[in-house]
Each structure stands twice: as C-alpha cells, then as structure tokens.
Amino acid sequence: MTAQALPADAARRGLAPQPGLVVVKLGGSVVRSRELSAWLDVIAASPRPIIVVPGGGALADEVRSAQTKLGFGDEAAHRMALLAMDQLAWAIAGLRAGFEVGDTEEALRQTLGQGHVAVWAPYSLVAGRSDIPQSWTVTSDSLALWLGRRLGAERCYVIKSIERKRAAFSAEQLARDGVVDEAFPSMFKEAGFPVFLLGRGDQAALAASLSAPGEASCGATID
C-alpha cells in the first residue's frame, strides 16, 4: 500500500508523506505492564519510521474518577485526558534513547527525518478542534487512526493488555466490547490503511511484521 495522500492544508505546508510510516498505539495499561520494555525494544529496533501514540493510562482513569466526583463537563475531561496522554508520552520517551516527543505534525516529521522514534503528545494538535468530539467517545485509540490518516501512515498497530485469541475482529465488535472507544469504527472506515490488534506476548509478531516488506499481516486483523 502506498502512503495516503495528506489533507490539502497539510500539503500546502509541504508535509510530504513519510514512506513506510507506521503508527503504534501503545495502550495505557501496556505502559503499566511488565511487557512495556519488550514492546519498546521491538519499536526501537524497527527499520520503519514509527510514531508511538500513548494511551492515558492511570492518569486518564483519574480524570474519569475526578469527573464523577466533581461534576465538570466532558470538554474539560477531554482536555485533561489529552494532557494525560502528553504526560505518558514524556514518560515513554524518557525510557529509551532516540525516542523524542512531538506535539505537532512538523515536530513529528522532524523527529522521523532524524531517524528517531516519534512519541506523540496530542494536546497542542487536538484540544479544541471542532472536527473531533470533545468527549469520552474519542480516546487515544481513535486519535491514533486520526493522526495516521493526517500523516499518510501505511498501517497502524493497536497494542492492548489483552489475551488475543482470534486472528480477526470487526471494529464494531471491539467497540461494543469496550476494547476500543466508541468512535473507533467510524475513524477506522475513514483511515484507509490496515489496522492490526496485538495483545500480551505478541512482540515477536510485531517485530516480524515491522521487518517484512510490503503489507505483512500481524496479530489480529481489524475489519
């Protein structure tokens, strides 16, 4: 698959697609798991340009809890959850040399151009956008697809702390089961690139897929 065309506004800014670009959504629960180091080792060793999209993890969970207790609205909660993702981006980048945080498209592309792994801190690019619901219907899962589409990614890997027992899932079923957020199926239809779900112990599958030319499948295909 060739890189997707960028939106007109990105093209006008001269942001050419990055050949072979992949997005890796690293779930917040994965960041807290014993497997985090193994996942980061695979990402660091990849020959492909990679943007890591972190989940909000326990910090986003705390936002949900605080919203229930204090009663602030979804827009405030959405912004706070984005800031939680920003904080985990800095945490992830601090664990490996060559991982650098980027908060804009230009910053992410500059990091990739230097041969480094880019870790997305989404607040600057996402907060207050009219085309993204300011609610819990959109979390880091959908934002990974949104970013990939904007930057012309060739594929996306969604990594969760789950026991993956199937080779294929529908986006709608994953949303119904609470594995991904409510907006994920519609974002998936708009993405235009393959998306794969990986679970615990799938590091070797990710490594093989990242090293293979073309469109090698990996983990569970989402359709």
Side-chain angles (χ1 to χ4, degrees), residues 25-90:
K25 159 61 201 314
L26 202 59
S29 59
V30 176
V31 176
R32 303 195 303 271
S33 75
R34 296 180 179 179
E35 295 194 353
L36 175 61
S37 181
W39 287 117
L40 295 183
D41 287 344
V42 172
I43 292 169
S46 171
R48 294 175 180 262
I50 290 181
I51 297 176
V52 175
V53 176
L59 298 175
D61 292 341
E62 183 60 28
V63 173
R64 291 180 185 269
S65 177
Q67 184 181 22
T68 299
K69 293 178 181 178
L70 300 177
F72 51 80
D74 281 349
E75 182 177 353
H78 176 76
R79 288 174 177 264
M80 294 166 71
L82 291 174
L83 290 171
M85 291 176 64
D86 278 20
Q87 292 182 70
L88 282 191
W90 284 102

Side-chain angles (χ1 to χ4, degrees), residues 16 20 39 46-47 54 85 96 116 136 143 196 222:
W39 287 117
S46 171
M85 291 176 64
R96 288 291 186 280
H116 297 154
W136 291 108
L143 291 177
F196 303 97
I222 298 177

Side-chain angles (χ1 to χ4, degrees), residues 95-176:
L95 293 174
R96 288 291 186 280
F99 283 43
E100 296 186 6
V101 174
D103 60 353
T104 65
E105 294 176 27
E106 291 85 350
L108 294 170
R109 290 185 179 281
Q110 182 177 8
T111 294
L112 295 173
Q114 295 170 345
H116 297 154
V117 174
V119 187
W120 186 37
Y123 187 89
S124 295
L125 195 56
V126 174
R129 293 188 65 95
S130 61
D131 60 333
I132 295 179
Q134 308 288 298
S135 72
W136 291 108
T137 61
V138 173
T139 67
S140 53
D141 299 321
S142 287
L143 291 177
L145 302 185
W146 179 86
L147 181 70
R149 184 167 181 262
R150 284 185 67 88
L151 296 185
E154 290 191 358
R155 56 177 52 205
C156 176
Y157 302 95
V158 178
I159 301 175
K160 298 278 188 175
S161 286
I162 61 173
E163 194 70 33
R164 183 183 62 80
K165 298 180 179 180
R166 295 170 55 186
F169 294 89
S170 72
E172 290 79 7
Q173 187 62 55
L174 290 173
R176 286 194 295 270

